[in-house]
Amino acid sequence: MSTVTYAVADSVTLLRRNVKNQLRYPTTAISIVGIPVLFLLLFVYVFGNVLGEGVTPMPGGKTDYVNYVLPGLIIMTAATGSLGTAVSTSVDMTEGIIARFKTMAIFRPAILIARVLSSVAQTLTSMALVMGVAWLMGFRPDATLLEWGAALALLAAASLALTWLGVAFGLAAKTLDAASNAPFPLILLPFVGSGIVPTDTMPTALRYFAEYQPFTPMIETLRGLLLGTEIGNNGWIAAAWCAGITLLGFAWAMKHFNKDRTH
């Protein structure tokens, strides 16, 4: 068998192992969906009437606040998924299973490839569930098939980027608590962007940060694809952020993965 065949076979085997773990312990998956859904219910039903006053009506006369807020919470779901990835990776590190895998005659990168693929699939599934809840609450996109495809590509890229970052957090953390706390600021970042209210309603200093942080162009691009708002340069900026975060997470993860040590 060729090296490529071995690599694929090992990756598939470890991917199956990770998926089984996800199904056996659904708590992480529930939290990935539960946090964005909780905020969705909170912002739409508790604060929606007030916050919605500051939102400019969207193309087609859409004024329901759920239409505005959902793209930010979908991106938050990717950030929440990174927390689950960090915890799962840290558990494997602290229990020594990754160290054991390293001693076996397997394609070593398959360990991380399987972790990333299973986590991205879990995050995308969670996004679909959050969007389903939003649909029941009145979310009505008007995207074409091509725009849905572009939105899926954006969400896959964002999930991949934040998953690699989550893997890096999990490998670098010395304890499980550290792994679970490190990605938490990412979950809050959409709030300090255009996820909840337009950035032009914020004070000058905060608006500057909100407009140039990585999640705002992702949110604006997703909002434009699903609801027809202006995207401008946000699509290219979002793609650049996704690529940069992916490379950063990958390099950081490989740095710690290649160290012959366990926590």
Side-chain angles (χ1 to χ4, degrees):
M1 295 176 67
S2 67
T3 302
V4 174
T5 303
Y6 275 120
V8 172
D10 290 341
S11 298
V12 170
T13 299
L14 291 171
L15 176 61
R16 190 182 304 119
R17 176 245 178 197
N18 290 340
V19 171
K20 287 182 177 179
N21 281 342
Q22 289 172 349
L23 295 176
R24 188 176 297 119
Y25 304 105
T27 306
T28 300
I30 292 172
S31 65
I32 293 174
V33 177
I35 293 175
V37 167
L38 178 62
F39 281 116
L40 181 64
L41 295 172
L42 179 66
F43 282 109
V44 172
Y45 288 139
V46 178
F47 304 131
N49 288 335
V50 175
L51 294 176
E53 294 295 326
V55 176
T56 303
M58 298 182 182
K62 290 185 173 68
T63 55
D64 290 342
Y65 184 61
V66 65
N67 291 304
Y68 181 87
V69 78
L70 179 67
L73 295 180
I74 290 293
I75 298 299
M76 177 191 282
T77 306
T80 308
S82 72
L83 190 153
T85 302
V87 171
S88 300
T89 304
S90 180
V91 168
D92 283 349
M93 287 293 290
T94 55
E95 291 183 350
I97 188 65
I98 288 182
R100 185 180 179 93
F101 283 149
K102 287 182 178 181
T103 65
M104 299 172 66
I106 63 175
F107 182 63
R108 284 182 51 158
I111 301 170
L112 297 187
I113 292 172
R115 170 62 62 196
V116 168
L117 291 178
S118 61
S119 295
V120 168
Q122 184 180 53
T123 300
L124 290 175
T125 301
S126 300
M127 288 176 173
L129 292 175
V130 173
M131 195 170 293
V133 173
W135 179 273
L136 296 176
M137 296 170 63
F139 173 65
R140 293 296 181 267
D142 54 13
T144 64
L145 184 61
L146 182 61
E147 288 169 334
W148 274 110
L152 179 59
L154 170 64
L155 295 178
S159 299
L160 179 65
L162 293 173
T163 294
W164 271 114
L165 203 56
V167 170
F169 283 140
L171 292 172
K174 297 184 181 298
T175 65
L176 184 57
D177 287 340
S180 62
N181 290 331
F184 194 75
L186 297 176
I187 298 175
L188 302 178
L189 207 54
F191 294 135
V192 195
S194 63
I196 307 302
V197 293
T199 57
D200 58 15
T201 64
M202 301 176 181
T204 302
L206 184 60
R207 181 173 70 247
Y208 184 85
F209 173 80
E211 290 176 348
Y212 290 98
Q213 59 117 318
F215 285 175
T216 292
M218 298 180 196
I219 294 168
E220 290 301 314
T221 302
L222 182 60
R223 187 175 285 131
L225 291 171
L226 297 182
L227 297 163
T229 58
E230 183 66 30
I231 295 178
N233 293 326
N234 284 307
W236 299 108
I237 297 172
W241 271 115
C242 287
I245 294 171
T246 300
L247 291 174
L248 172 64
F250 174 79
W252 190 15
M254 293 306 298
K255 174 184 176 182
H256 288 279
F257 180 72
N258 288 329
K259 291 181 179 179
D260 291 325
R261 65 174 178 83
T262 58
H263 294 327

